[in-house]
Amino acid sequence: MAELAAVSVRTLHHYDEIGLVRPSARTSGGYRAYSAADVERLREVLAFRRLGFGLREIADLVDDPATDPIARLHRLRGLLVEQRDRTAVMVTAIDKELEERAMGVRTTTPEDQLKVFGAQLYEAIGSAYPATRRTEPRIAERIWDALGDARTVLNVGAGTGSYEPPDREVTAVEPSAVMRAQRPVGAAPCVAASAERLPFADQSFDAAMAVSTVHHWPDPVAGLREMRRVARRVVVFTYDASTTGWLQRFWLTRDYLPEFAGLLADWPSLADMTRAIGGSAEPVLVPWDCADGFFEAHWRRPEAYLDERVRRAVSVWTRVGPRAEQRAVNTLRADLASGRWTERNRDLVALDAAELGLRLLVA
């Protein structure tokens, strides 16, 4: 067991002594004998341990009476995804500095070098949001209609406050200090918290909403369940990556950025997300002149993706890394110049809106 788990026998003895992982039986020779359930518990303990949790914290996590093995796996998965995204941000920053050094220039300051090692994804891209990310009125109307007659609304993963209804009592939740700092004067009060652990009592709000944020949550299913716990109605604007051929529906991911598929490899299915809130999903078409510069917004305006400001306000570009980004941008630029993009996508010119996988979940 020690060899398989890559820990010492002494470690297993210690876990037994403190009650963290107690083997179910002993052999006639006195050896500890681990059942399948013991192995599952040890796997959870080691995973949390390697994520940096202390033994007391781990004991609380694996013995939490409010969770089951599936819920704990979701939590582990979420933490690992968050760690992956944070690592991707660091790798991107290091690649940028290496390129600068190779060219004999330095724009990365000592402060930047330290900040990135404590950064979450939004901390790295959040400062670019005000330039291109804002409320799209036609999508906002769908979201606000779905809120029904709710008077009190919790906005989870609220960012800078886009899509918050102006005629209701809104409370915002946002974990990123960068995003909270950019909320405009007069915006709804904002609480520093995560979706998975909302600091509110059951049914505290008439409705809870989340807009273009679920893909940033360490554990999307847990966050959606929390929204359902604290509100009588739930409205979520998100993305469906579970439909067959989903990567092909947008020319940018189909022809230029196939790495996008890897970012959503562990993404919950649309069925999982709707089940988490006990609701249903409706398609949301993206207008050709969409005011909110999210990833799919410029589907009929391909030149926009050549703009650094547009890309920096979309997490996808940071997460795929600088090499994939530059390859995609360079290829797109060449195809626009040669007319190849127009030839491939001539059917888009006549469309006023496109179905690109965006969904509104309502419960």
Side-chain angles (χ1 to χ4, degrees):
M1 179 61 68
E3 183 178 349
L4 287 171
V7 297
S8 67
V9 172
R10 183 175 180 178
T11 294
L12 294 181
H13 288 183
H14 181 60
Y15 288 172
D16 183 7
E17 290 163 3
I18 64 175
L20 191 57
V21 183
R22 283 185 171 149
S24 299
R26 295 266 181 166
T27 69
S28 58
Y31 290 101
R32 293 167 171 81
Y34 291 83
S35 67
D38 299 333
V39 171
E40 184 174 303
R41 184 179 175 91
L42 177 60
R43 186 271 307 277
E44 292 180 10
V45 168
L46 293 177
F48 282 121
R49 189 71 174 136
R50 286 160 187 168
L51 281 165
F53 286 84
L55 294 181
R56 289 185 180 178
E57 291 178 296
I58 294 171
D60 291 338
L61 288 167
V62 298
D63 290 326
D64 183 354
T67 64
D68 57 22
I70 293 176
R72 290 195 294 274
L73 279 177
H74 277 298
R75 180 180 289 172
L76 270 175
R77 176 193 170 279
L79 291 167
L80 289 166
V81 168
E82 181 181 28
Q83 184 183 68
R84 179 195 66 190
D85 290 346
R86 186 174 299 186
T87 301
V89 170
M90 290 190 285
V91 169
T92 298
I94 290 170
D95 285 346
K96 177 176 179 288
E97 185 174 345
L98 286 171
E99 290 174 4
E100 290 176 355
R101 292 193 181 210
M103 293 185 293
V105 297
R106 291 294 300 278
T107 63
T108 303
T109 67
E111 291 83 357
D112 291 336
Q113 290 174 333
L114 290 178
K115 283 179 181 177
V116 71
F117 283 91
Q120 294 181 1
L121 189 58
Y122 265 149
E123 308 298 331
I125 68 173
S127 59
Y129 264 59
T132 63
R133 302 299 298 271
R134 57 186 67 89
T135 300
E136 162 50 53
R138 287 155 291 192
I139 294 177
E141 185 177 359
R142 290 282 304 276
I143 294 170
W144 297 345
D145 283 348
L147 291 173
D149 59 359
R151 300 307 308 163
T152 58
V153 178
L154 179 68
N155 187 15
V156 182
T160 60
S162 296
Y163 298 96
E164 289 178 357
D167 58 344
R168 320 203 191 201
E169 182 183 330
V170 177
T171 300
V173 168
E174 172 53 54
S176 167
V178 169
M179 302 302 280
R180 291 197 305 272
Q182 295 181 84
R183 292 177 64 81
V185 176
C190 190
V191 177
S194 65
E196 296 84 353
R197 295 183 180 181
L198 295 174
F200 306 104
D202 294 358
Q203 305 296 288
S204 298
F205 300 90
D206 294 334
M209 59 182 279
V211 179
S212 298
T213 179
V214 176
H215 56 288
H216 290 296
W217 298 355
D219 189 341
V221 170
L224 292 170
R225 287 173 177 166
E226 272 288 88
M227 291 178 68
R228 190 60 173 158
R229 179 184 66 80
V230 303
R232 287 176 282 280
R233 176 181 286 266
V234 177
V235 178
V236 178
F237 181 50
T238 187
Y239 186 81
D240 175 19
S242 57
T243 305
T244 302
W246 65 271
L247 193 66
Q248 305 300 311
R249 64 190 165 208
F250 184 25
W251 57 262
L252 183 57
T253 56
R254 181 191 68 212
D255 301 331
Y256 301 97
L257 203 65
E259 290 85 356
F260 183 65
L263 303 183
L264 298 180
D266 298 321
W267 181 244
S269 69
L270 188 65
D272 288 337
M273 291 190 284
T274 53
R275 192 179 303 114
I277 63 171
S280 59
E282 307 166 3
V284 178
L285 302 185
V286 182
W288 78 269
D289 55 348
C290 184
D292 188 352
F294 49 74
F295 183 59
E296 300 85 0
H298 308 286
W299 59 270
R300 217 181 84 177
R301 297 168 288 167
E303 296 84 0
Y305 294 106
L306 305 181
D307 188 336
E308 175 80 12
R309 295 173 306 164
V310 169
R311 299 198 306 276
R312 290 288 67 79
V314 177
S315 63
V316 169
W317 297 103
T318 297
R319 293 178 64 188
V320 297
R323 292 182 181 176
E325 177 181 1
Q326 283 308 307
R327 187 210 65 242
V329 170
N330 291 341
T331 306
L332 175 58
R333 181 180 288 111
D335 285 355
L336 288 170
S338 69
R340 188 180 185 193
W341 184 92
T342 303
E343 181 63 29
R344 277 180 172 175
N345 302 284
R346 60 175 60 256
D347 58 318
L348 299 182
V349 178
L351 298 180
D352 290 328
E355 205 295 89
L356 299 173
L358 298 180
R359 296 290 181 267
L360 194 64
L361 314 186
V362 182

